[in-house]
Amino acid sequence: MAYATITKTDSERAAANMPDYATERAAFTWEAARARLDGLPGGGLNIAHEALDRHVASGHGADLAIRWIAKDFSRHDFTYADLAAATGRFANVLTDAGIERGETVYSLLGRVPDLYVAALGTLKAGAVFSPLFSQFGPEPLKARMEIGGAVALVTSASLYRRKVAPIRAELPNLRTVFLVDGEDDPAEGLVALPAALERASEAFEVARTEPEDMALLHFTSGTTGRPKGAIHVHEAVVAHAETGRIALDLKPGDIYWCTADPGWVTGTSYGIIAPLVNRVAMIVDEAEFDAERWYQILAEEKVAVWYSAPTAIRMLMKAGAEITKAFDLSHLRFLASVGEPLNPEAVVWSAETFGKPFHDNWWQTETGGIMIANTAAMDVKPGSMGLPLPGIEAGVVSRDEAGNVTVTDPGVAGELALRPGWPSMMRGYLHEEARYEKCFADGWYLSGDLAQRDADGYFWFVGRADDVIKSAGHLVGPFEVESALIEHPAVAEAAVVGMPDETAGEVVKAFVALKPGFEPSEALERELRGHARKRLGPAVAPREIAFRENLPKTRSGKIMRRLLKARELGLPEGDISTLESDER
Ligand code: ATP
Ligand code: MG
């Protein structure tokens, strides 16, 4: 089944921040993008100033910055002025506690307002912010805090007791722990944050950070192995601002919802920085995924721009389109997705269900911001990641043994590569110089993902280099096979791996989770194999299909194919620090 291109109307194009890709691309420079931001009085650049104080200074202090929705559905609003004041207090508290510029402050919090204040307050103080995902256990927390040399942590009393207290003795650098709901305990270096904020002044002169000063330390998802700590600098805000504007079509005053947790890069770059820099009103939901709750929020809050992930979209598909009918979703203007390949079936489903397709975009922790995207004015080819954004040069390349890199022809799969130089590119993997150096060859940054380009320049994801299967001389990209399986009405999710085989080298094996109402059976297995053979041909279709209740995923929602394969072969599981706990 070939998927028809979803075209945009003239009025949709005209309304987009980037009405014409070619024109914008030709005219674009990062210098001009930088000039659209403020910079600090007297020089320097600071993310928090661009996100908050700049808007207050230009008369937008009363605009809504965050509407926080608690688990019980109570709502709490924070204006730009509120956040500017709260982060000023937080920066004073840090400074008073002796935390110095360049030192790293971690957060370990659910999606509560303190998290947003801590992130931007830390940046105001000139310290480095590193968010930890609240569902990590003590070991992954310790590993990440050791790498970044945590001097301070912002967390809750219960998270502290359960997860940090047991490892505290092994973190000698961790001087101060700010508790958003606990008591002072000077002997343990515990500070009750609300009282400290109360005592502090909201006036704080933003630290005069330079563009190249380190601002954020983000850990990768650990999908392919041990997570890496990517270093990002204040200059990244130039890319956050621009990509928010052109890839997510954010306009001042928009109601915007990024469903990612700030424990991952998407939840920080596009769940804190890009929206605030673009002066939108952002929704933060404290609760976990629930299809009805999500539709209720989209409807009641009149969300215009919604940024989510394939795993969530597949769960919405699993819940069925029927339940959307009870909700008024007519305020949705632009839908975007990131984190994993977005199956064409999901694009078509969303276009039918919401009247607007999800727009896939591609980037990584390392790139700091969106690189390749389907933007608001562009026609969408379901299954494609779109075009490189203005200011981004992307290529599909092959590498020879000597390290020479050549750009492949359209239609030929190769490694997805980028020309370094955009503002949010990582500046290193912390303490892992060699691992960082290995990402570059011949003037390119090599992403570790495989893709191909079509004749129109659109990029198509093939698979992670580690996940690609070589079967009887064919290169099989798991994404294509998984997408074909998902077209079948019984299939909710699929993961495809290569199993060693004497004659073919590898054969394709699929793991499938079914939609409600379907039961695993031999007949269904046969039917799915037949469906895949018809769609893909016998060389690429899975030889074997196994049913699973759930597929193993990282806590950021990415299918861990390497783990399925290791378990199947009885091999060591490798680093599973980011595996969802119910999969252990
Ligand atoms: P690790 O590097 O630790 O193995 P990870 O690569 O999953 O983990 P992230 O930086 O969070 O960590 O994820 C980036 C990766 O996610 C990309 O390299 C790519 O493999 C995948 N990805 C992101 N967006 C897309 C997309 N639109 N289509 C396909 N894959 C995507
Ligand atoms: Mg990666």
Side-chain angles (χ1 to χ4, degrees):
M1 190 191 334
Y3 288 88
T5 300
I6 299 171
T7 54
K8 301 292 171 64
T9 63
D10 286 347
S11 64
E12 279 173 323
R13 271 184 235 283
N17 284 342
M18 180 168 69
D20 184 62
Y21 173 79
T23 310
E24 182 106 12
R25 187 171 176 86
F28 187 90
T29 65
W30 287 113
E31 290 69 36
R34 166 68 179 81
R36 284 192 276 277
L37 294 177
D38 235 15
L40 292 171
L45 184 67
N46 186 287
I47 293 173
H49 172 83
E50 302 303 329
L52 299 175
D53 299 19
R54 173 171 71 115
H55 303 315
V56 176
S58 66
H60 293 282
D63 292 10
L64 181 63
I66 293 181
R67 169 159 296 168
W68 180 65
I69 305 177
K71 286 181 186 156
D72 67 3
F73 255 113
S74 61
R75 285 147 164 96
H76 303 261
D77 286 353
F78 301 85
T79 64
Y80 279 90
D82 293 338
L83 284 185
T87 53
R89 287 179 191 272
F90 188 88
N92 274 316
V93 167
L94 283 188
T95 312
D96 291 348
I99 282 114
E100 294 185 19
R101 271 180 69 160
E103 290 190 315
T104 305
V105 176
Y106 283 71
S107 67
L108 175 66
L109 288 167
R111 285 181 300 279
V112 292
D114 296 286
L115 170 56
Y116 299 79
V117 171
L120 294 162
T122 299
L123 296 174
K124 270 195 176 174
V128 174
F129 180 68
S130 186
L132 296 162
F133 188 50
S134 60
Q135 286 169 31
F136 277 144
E139 276 309 311
L141 294 176
K142 189 182 110 197
R144 285 163 179 74
M145 285 196 275
E146 270 175 347
I147 291 177
V151 298
L153 171 70
V154 187
T155 187
S156 70
S158 117
L159 286 167
Y160 179 75
R161 208 175 41 248
R162 286 186 288 129
K163 301 182 172 191
V164 184
I167 53 170
R168 182 75 193 272
E170 296 161 72
L171 295 165
N173 293 326
L174 184 58
R175 302 194 296 264
T176 313
V177 177
F178 298 100
L179 297 176
V180 299
D181 56 357
E183 307 281 314
D184 279 326
D185 181 349
E188 254 195 272
L190 303 181
V191 175
L193 187 59
L197 291 172
E198 194 72 49
R199 289 192 299 269
S201 160
E202 58 183 59
F204 183 85
E205 192 181 332
V206 175
R208 187 162 321 158
T209 42
E210 293 300 323
E212 286 302 313
D213 284 351
M214 184 170 169
L216 299 158
L217 175 64
H218 272 303
F219 291 90
T220 61
S221 289
T223 315
T224 54
R226 190 164 47 86
K228 300 147 268 193
I231 298 170
H232 289 286
V233 298
H234 281 274
E235 171 94 344
V237 69
V238 180
H240 296 144
E242 277 310 302
T243 54
R245 184 178 71 85
I246 58 185
L248 299 182
D249 203 43
L250 297 177
K251 300 176 173 53
D254 269 347
I255 298 175
Y256 165 76
W257 187 21
C258 170
T259 62
D261 189 277
W264 308 108
V265 71
T266 305
T268 304
S269 292
Y270 296 99
I272 304 180
I273 302 171
L276 295 177
V277 172
N278 280 287
R279 199 163 30 89
V280 309
M282 64 186 213
I283 302 295
V284 175
D285 181 22
E286 185 187 19
E288 294 310 314
F289 175 86
D290 175 83
E292 295 227 32
R293 180 181 174 101
W294 277 30
Y295 290 133
Q296 188 178 341
I297 291 173
L298 290 170
E300 287 178 1
E301 301 304 331
K302 302 185 168 56
V303 172
V305 181
W306 180 22
Y307 195 21
S308 198
T311 179
I313 299 165
R314 289 192 296 258
M315 285 195 276
L316 293 174
M317 291 168 75
K318 197 168 163 184
E322 200 50 38
I323 58 170
T324 63
K325 303 222 165 90
F327 301 95
D328 173 9
L329 304 175
S330 62
H331 292 89
L332 284 172
R333 186 184 81 232
F334 186 71
L335 283 54
S337 163
V338 71
E340 280 196 296
L342 183 63
N343 313 96
E345 193 68 16
V347 178
V348 171
W349 179 85
S350 58
E352 280 168 6
T353 307
F354 306 116
K356 311 258 179 313
F358 266 99
H359 293 69
D360 188 21
N361 58 55
W362 176 92
W363 58 289
Q364 316 176 296
T365 307
E366 290 85 343
T367 71
I370 301 171
M371 298 284 105
I372 297 177
N374 291 284
T375 64
M378 274 166 50
D379 293 344
V380 174
K381 302 188 190 193
S384 156
M385 307 190 288
L387 298 170
L389 290 179
I392 302 299
E393 193 188 333
V396 175
V397 305
S398 68
R399 243 191 298 190
D400 68 17
E401 254 143 52
N404 300 311
V405 168
T406 41
V407 175
T408 60
D409 292 330
V412 178
E415 194 164 359
L416 177 48
L418 302 157
R419 288 281 188 201
W422 69 94
S424 64
M425 174 60 181
M426 69 164 164
R427 300 301 197 263
Y429 288 132
L430 194 61
H431 309 315
E432 295 200 83
E433 189 61 24
R435 213 170 174 188
Y436 175 70
E437 293 297 333
K438 266 178 61 184
C439 300
F440 299 89
D442 222 1
W444 290 93
Y445 164 72
L446 300 149
S447 70
D449 286 341
L450 300 189
Q452 58 186 53
R453 243 169 345 139
D454 67 18
D456 300 327
Y458 278 63
F459 282 70
W460 299 74
F461 187 77
V462 172
R464 291 167 183 268
D466 294 359
D467 290 341
V468 156
I469 303 159
K470 288 188 196 79
S471 185
H474 295 273
L475 182 89
V476 181
F479 176 48
E480 187 187 11
V481 182
E482 290 161 7
S483 290
L485 288 167
I486 279 182
E487 284 169 8
H488 191 281
V491 176
E493 283 198 302
V496 162
V497 302
M499 300 300 290
D501 179 83
E502 270 188 16
T503 46
E506 282 186 305
V507 292
V508 179
K509 172 156 188 177
F511 297 84
V512 159
L514 297 175
K515 285 192 183 149
F518 293 91
E519 293 299 326
S521 69
E522 265 179 43
L524 184 56
E525 207 244 284
R526 257 197 318 278
E527 185 180 322
L528 291 178
R529 275 193 287 117
H531 163 82
R533 234 184 354 262
K534 238 190 325 202
R535 281 284 284 106
L536 303 163
V540 174
R543 183 82 62 86
E544 203 187 320
I545 296 178
F547 296 104
R548 290 283 185 274
E549 199 62 35
N550 290 300
L551 300 176
K553 289 193 193 131
T554 65
R555 292 172 189 274
S556 54
K558 294 164 191 278
I559 296 173
M560 290 172 101
R561 294 174 190 79
R562 67 172 164 100
L563 191 58
L564 282 168
K565 184 166 174 173
R567 286 179 174 172
E568 202 62 13
L569 295 173
L571 296 173
E573 295 192 339
D575 188 306
I576 53 163
S577 61
T578 64
L579 178 67
E580 274 179 345
S581 48
D582 51 345
E583 296 297 332
R584 274 160 206 243

